[in-house]
Amino acid sequence: MKACLLAIGDEIISGITTDTNSGFLAQLLREVGVEVTGVLTVPDDEAAIATALRRATKDAELVISTGGLGPTADDLTTTCVAAFAGLPLDLHEPSLAQIAARFRDRGLEMPPNNRKQALLPRGCTLIPNPEGTAPGFICEVASTPARFTASLPGVPREMKRMAEETLLPWIARRSGAGVIRSTVFSTVGLSESKLDQLLVGAVQPDEARLSFRAAFPRLQTRVTVSGDSADEVEERLRRLEGTIRARLGDHLYATGDVGLEETVGELLRANRLTLSVAESCTGGLIGHRITDVAGSSEYFLNGVVAYSNEAKQRLLGVSSATIEEHGAVSEQTVLEMARGVRKIQGSSLGLSTSGIAGPGGGTPEKPVGTLCVGIAWEGGEWSRRFDLGKGSRTWIKQMSAQVALDALRRRVLALTDATTK
């Protein structure tokens, strides 16, 4: 099967939004043996969308569009695809009920224009949207040879689940690939080249496809297995998962497309631990990531951004003598920060960061990219200096948050492992 990708939206054409959806879909399709013939980007314009559909179906059996399924006047994808396929639009009552229910669950009344999202091409195959209001759909275009269009929303979180859970199985059935299963392995503390090196020979080409995805700060590998029967595929996938887990060791923090903050949160919740965070160079980024996870109030108690030396002393109780002797960016200072923030509300753990994000402020002894992380808990403490290397200020802050979360993950695992022995 050959497929062409179509990214729709004025915001993409103007450069306001970066099209990450096409890259994700291209990789997903490649993993199941589908050749991508091209990627087209068009504005929210009926004539432009129609032209792109005609062009795409010349070379590809399947056109996958993203974007333009919203409730506003400039969301034109459904209308254009239906016209291209020669199909009328019908109100899909189950989708309308689901959209209305989503609003009710949030204590809101559904605006009348959301009804538009339940108008779907007659006879289409529905792609349910478990994350949002806009359902997707697959249409057959009356042509010889057969052509199909699949339309997905532009919100990446919604698009990814719909593509993996509904569109990919449909492609497998259509292309005769049989049963397809895949597992994503999320890693930390590796470069893309090192990850590739660790997995050399782990998967043979005739038994599965191995692919890599670097979307900082996430670095992942996916193994995709196809076969004639579900039992055969599941058995092979389990065997390969064991091999990959052994190769990755403690660099593997989760299976699935999840962030490190989610894994840390699950560890804290499972072990009934609470966390407080004191941040300097990361400026609240760690707290933001932790609280971006639903239910984080179960384990996250408080966060303090103590950027100046005065704030470190006044809010966290860091000794002025410690700062004078060792500096604000030091293992000694972050230990006192971790102790201080833990003391504020009596959390199980205190996590702290202090570093030099640049572009100025570095010295030969402590260059830009220097990071110190501290962790304190009942009866113990830990700190370490990391040299992250050169990078933009934003990159260093993001990497600092990632390194700190990984340090916390490893410390919790060590502590909980010790208590169970």
Side-chain angles (χ1 to χ4, degrees), residues 178-243:
V179 179
I180 297 176
R181 298 285 188 274
S182 66
T183 299
V184 173
F185 300 86
S186 295
T187 69
V188 65
L190 295 170
S191 64
E192 191 172 6
S193 58
K194 182 61 176 178
L195 176 59
D196 178 64
Q197 185 181 15
L198 285 176
L199 296 180
V200 169
V203 177
Q204 299 304 315
D206 60 346
E207 61 181 352
R209 288 176 180 265
L210 193 65
S211 59
F212 300 89
R213 177 173 178 252
F216 183 76
R218 298 186 191 183
L219 177 60
Q220 301 167 326
T221 186
R222 179 195 295 267
V223 61
T224 302
V225 177
S226 61
D228 296 328
S229 71
D231 290 342
E232 170 208 348
V233 168
E234 294 291 352
E235 189 283 327
R236 200 184 329 153
L237 187 58
R238 279 194 298 270
R239 176 170 53 80
L240 291 172
E241 283 181 2
T243 300

Side-chain angles (χ1 to χ4, degrees), residues 354-390:
S354 185
I356 304 171
T363 67
E365 295 77 23
K366 295 178 182 179
V368 171
T370 300
L371 168 70
C372 291
V373 177
I375 303 174
W377 62 94
E378 182 67 33
E381 56 189 28
W382 172 96
S383 66
R384 181 179 166 185
R385 169 176 163 165
F386 298 85
D387 296 310
L388 304 182
K390 295 180 179 180

Side-chain angles (χ1 to χ4, degrees), residues 8 52 59 180 187 190 203 209 220 252 261 320 344 374 414 420:
I8 300 173
D59 300 320
I180 297 176
T187 69
L190 295 170
V203 177
R209 288 176 180 265
Q220 301 167 326
L252 175 67
E261 61 275 13
S320 59
I344 291 174
T420 56

Side-chain angles (χ1 to χ4, degrees), residues 282-326:
T282 45
L285 183 56
I286 296 173
H288 167 71
R289 286 181 59 176
I290 290 172
T291 57
D292 225 19
V293 179
S296 55
S297 58
E298 294 181 36
Y299 47 82
F300 185 71
L301 299 189
N302 65 298
V304 174
V305 178
Y307 210 65
S308 68
N309 290 347
E310 180 187 0
K312 291 178 178 67
Q313 296 171 56
R314 182 168 53 85
L315 299 175
L316 301 171
V318 176
S319 166
S320 59
T322 299
I323 295 177
E324 289 173 7
E325 182 178 355
H326 302 285

Side-chain angles (χ1 to χ4, degrees), residues 327-351:
V329 180
S330 65
E331 295 175 66
Q332 293 81 3
T333 295
V334 291
L335 276 182
E336 293 192 22
M337 291 172 65
R339 290 184 212 134
V341 77
R342 178 175 176 267
K343 185 178 179 181
I344 291 174
Q345 286 195 309
S347 57
S348 308
L349 295 149
L351 172 67

